[in-house]
Amino acid sequence: DTEIIESLKSRMDIVEKIGLKKALNKVTPLQMKRMDELMDKRQASAEALGLDTNYIKELYKLVHVESIRKQTHIMNDFKEQEDK
């Protein structure tokens, strides 16, 4: 469980870097096509490992929602700084 939490923290650190790059390049946080591609890959990986694909789909939905929330927050902060 500790490894899962540490991995999620590492992922959010990466999400923050991606959010900053998206803010600099004025790219929206939510990229539906990219999200769908990633979800398909995650479900295929889960299936190959014998995991329930619905379980992985729901888990990644939560992870993705938090990633979008964080990136949106970063972009809003970036816009505020630009407006000053």
Side-chain angles (χ1 to χ4, degrees), residues 4-5 11-12 16 20 33 39 41 44 47 49-51 54-55 60 65 67 72-75:
I4 292 170
I5 292 169
R11 189 181 195 287
M12 291 310 293
E16 187 170 333
L20 289 170
K33 183 178 177 185
M39 189 64 74
K41 288 179 182 179
E47 187 173 24
L49 293 170
L51 294 170
N54 287 324
Y55 166 66
Y60 269 92
V65 165
S67 297
T72 300
H73 180 76
I74 289 166
M75 292 189 88

Side-chain angles (χ1 to χ4, degrees), residues 23-24 26 73-83:
L24 287 169
K26 296 182 181 3
H73 180 76
I74 289 166
M75 292 189 88
N76 289 339
D77 285 350
F78 185 81
K79 285 179 188 175
E80 286 178 17
Q81 294 299 317
E82 277 190 327
D83 292 341

Side-chain angles (χ1 to χ4, degrees), residues 23-38:
L24 287 169
N25 293 297
K26 296 182 181 3
V27 175
T28 61
L30 180 58
Q31 302 291 313
M32 288 302 296
K33 183 178 177 185
R34 176 76 174 139
M35 185 182 89
D36 291 343
E37 290 170 358
L38 289 173

Side-chain angles (χ1 to χ4, degrees), residues 1-8:
D1 288 340
T2 300
E3 288 179 32
I4 292 170
I5 292 169
E6 288 170 353
S7 292
L8 288 169

